[in-house]
Amino acid sequence: MYDLLIIGSGPAGVSAALSAEARHLDFLWFGSRSLSPKIEKAECIMNYPGLPKVTGTEMRDAFLSQIDGLGIKIREERVNSIYDMGGYYTALVNEKMYDGKTVILATGVSNSREIPSESRLLGKGVSYCATCDGELYRGKRIAVVCTDSSFEEEIEFLAGLASEVFLCTSYKDCGIRRDNVRHVVGYPTEILGENRAAGIICGGETVEAEGVFCLRPCVTPAALLPGLAAEGGHIQVDRQQRTNLPGCFAAGDCTGRPYQYAKAVGEGNVALHSVLNYLNGTDER
Amino acid sequence: MYDLLIIGSGPAGVSAALSAEARHLDFLWFGSRSLSPKIEKAECIMNYPGLPKVTGTEMRDAFLSQIDGLGIKIREERVNSIYDMGGYYTALVNEKMYDGKTVILATGVSNSREIPSESRLLGKGVSYCATCDGELYRGKRIAVVCTDSSFEEEIEFLAGLASEVFLCTSYKDCGIRRDNVRHVVGYPTEILGENRAAGIICGGETVEAEGVFCLRPCVTPAALLPGLAAEGGHIQVDRQQRTNLPGCFAAGDCTGRPYQYAKAVGEGNVALHSVLNYLNGTDER
């Protein structure tokens, strides 16, 4: 049982991890050494105190060298879901499980909006995890919605199981070449189905499907951790970065605007201090 | 009329100023090129993302060179008080007045506690400003409470006016040498007086005084800006760093714990974005 699981390696996750290390917590940190797609893409950051006029990659490199200098490890594993076990949390990474007394969610915010009926049919034919649920669709017809090419390995895996795949990507230059995959560029306007997913509408075309996989870098908060209170796509937190679930904190873009590096760094720090208070039993709630 | 007045030059003020410059606001920033006494004294900061293992002076120098590189000016003037003029704010710096549509308070938090009866007798013989109120005590007996040697010029000024000065400093090595000044090291336990200040108790000694000057780096929030809601010495703010007064925002240690550089930097950024929303008329409140 770890003291803390940190989910996400953008500036909020970095800030939380640096303070967790400084306070000698026994923690796991899930993310990527590219830190976050948004950091990498930033052209010029003028207003982050301490790093004058940096590009996103310069900021990333500064953060990475600080992390490496302290010997902090980023686990490059994708957390598919987290469960509130009543007193602790369990994070699922494909077939592996990690338990933590507390969680900091620093998962960023997705540019892609939820598809109508997506959350209603989640777990009823709609899935976010190829590894977890792919086997259920062996020999069946499925749809896959993908917003980032980093998921193509998962699409290959699904295409190896399903009889037919209708693939909707929000980017061009898709690398999938398989006879049983039909690819369109576009974002679905609806997932069909009454009590179970039955199909999808994309680009005006209606396609039948027994399963719909939505593969995106950021899972919506409530889908990641059932029971988590969210509003307008953002996790609800108070000034101490506490969510509605005791021991679960959130920081950075996932808690709302402004989407700023400094704000994320500040919230990651506050979340970690709230974790300390929670572990010490001095959380006032 | 400026868009914004930023009060304080610790990490929260720095962050607000950098973003104000990036967004081309017409703003004034009051503080000091030493930034804050707390930054200077920090031995080693491990957990600020982007500046690995820095001393406080290294962090200060990094912030200063960034500020200077952008041509941002710090006005080295002490704001004595701010008034809510109903729609804008006026900051008083001795005899000068500055008007701003909005204010960000980044005034830090004082280690020195309020003296019993201090706020009750504020404006009734208790004063925070030698320049503003010194003349009222010409030829009279006063007490001066001082927590920082940077105020000794003001003590000299007061000693030149008053007949007798009872000086209580919370530090040793006081540089004041005047026949009419009696100096003790200690912090007062009470200010005496029913409807007006009449004396002070310090080190068990009771001394009569018609005026009591309290000279400290951080004025208590409610004393700085009448009407500002505070709790436990901290300015009350919401997640957008809004205070109870429309157009007045607060950031950094003055809003509460944790007293952390990253937290202050984050709040300064958020406060500035709330200023932008307020000036654009998109503040939701």
Side-chain angles (χ1 to χ4, degrees), chain A residues 58-75:
Chain A
E58 285 167 348
M59 176 179 265
R60 183 199 62 199
D61 292 346
F63 286 179
L64 268 182
S65 86
Q66 189 170 5
I67 292 160
D68 291 344
L70 293 167
I72 304 174
K73 290 275 169 288
I74 306 175
R75 299 181 81 89

Side-chain angles (χ1 to χ4, degrees), chain A residues 6-282:
Chain A
I6 301 173
I7 321 292
S9 55
V14 169
S15 182
L18 289 175
S19 286
E21 182 69 21
R23 298 299 292 268
H24 307 301
L25 288 190
D26 186 19
F27 69 104
L28 288 184
W29 183 19
F30 298 93
S32 145
R33 283 186 63 82
S34 67
L35 299 189
S36 93
K38 269 192 206 170
I39 285 193
E40 284 195 301
K41 285 175 194 157
E43 275 183 39
C44 182
I45 301 157
M46 300 284 291
N47 68 341
Y48 183 76
L51 296 176
K53 266 199 194 182
V54 284
T55 64
T57 51
E58 285 167 348
M59 176 179 265
R60 183 199 62 199
D61 292 346
F63 286 179
L64 268 182
S65 86
Q66 189 170 5
I67 292 160
D68 291 344
L70 293 167
I72 304 174
K73 290 275 169 288
I74 306 175
R75 299 181 81 89
E76 299 206 272
E77 299 177 295
R78 184 176 285 127
V79 173
N80 300 307
S81 47
I82 303 169
Y83 293 99
D84 176 1
M85 308 301 283
Y88 69 97
Y89 291 87
T90 297
L92 299 184
V93 176
N94 298 336
E95 74 289 0
K96 285 178 281 181
M97 302 196 330
Y98 300 99
D99 292 340
K101 295 175 195 166
T102 63
V103 173
I104 293 177
L105 302 172
T107 50
V109 71
S110 174
N111 291 323
S112 52
R113 57 204 181 283
E114 199 174 299
I115 306 164
S117 296
E118 173 184 329
S119 54
R120 183 174 61 81
L121 294 169
L122 182 63
K124 298 167 183 165
V126 172
S127 170
Y128 296 141
C129 178
T131 312
C132 320
D133 298 328
E135 195 60 45
L136 300 172
Y137 299 95
R138 184 180 286 276
K140 295 181 179 172
R141 173 189 279 193
I142 62 170
V144 176
V145 182
C146 181
T147 64
D148 191 288
S149 60
S150 67
F151 288 91
E152 293 189 357
E153 191 185 64
E154 269 138 304
I155 300 173
E156 292 280 1
F157 171 74
L158 288 169
L161 291 169
S163 61
E164 281 176 64
V165 176
F166 179 59
L167 172 62
C168 314
T169 68
S170 50
Y171 59 95
K172 292 175 187 175
D173 298 326
C174 176
I176 305 287
R177 301 282 177 274
R178 276 181 175 259
D179 288 344
N180 67 335
V181 174
R182 187 158 68 87
H183 174 225
V184 297
V185 174
Y187 197 72
T189 51
E190 194 177 347
I191 297 175
L192 301 171
E194 196 68 31
N195 299 313
R196 276 198 64 83
I200 197 161
I201 304 179
C202 188
E205 188 179 0
T206 302
V207 175
E208 284 181 24
E210 291 188 61
V212 177
F213 286 84
C214 300
L215 306 178
R216 307 185 186 99
C218 300
V219 173
T220 60
L224 182 66
L225 201 174
L228 188 66
E231 192 176 348
H234 296 132
I235 302 170
Q236 284 182 358
V237 291
D238 64 11
R239 292 245 326 134
Q240 281 72 48
Q241 307 303 131
R242 297 181 294 198
T243 70
N244 66 313
L245 303 176
C248 176
F249 306 86
D253 287 359
C254 63
T255 72
R257 292 176 180 274
Y259 299 149
Q260 291 275 315
Y261 301 105
K263 181 252 192 191
V265 157
E267 290 192 353
N269 180 292
V270 172
L272 192 277
H273 285 83
S274 293
V275 163
L276 294 173
N277 288 337
Y278 179 87
L279 293 173
N280 288 335
T282 52

Side-chain angles (χ1 to χ4, degrees), chain B residues 37-45 54-59 261:
Chain B
K38 269 192 204 167
I39 285 192
E40 284 195 302
K41 286 175 193 157
E43 274 183 41
C44 183
I45 301 157
V54 284
T55 64
T57 51
E58 285 168 346
M59 176 180 266
Y261 302 105

Side-chain angles (χ1 to χ4, degrees), chain B residues 220-236:
Chain B
T220 60
L224 182 65
L225 202 174
L228 188 67
E231 191 175 350
H234 296 132
I235 302 170
Q236 285 183 358

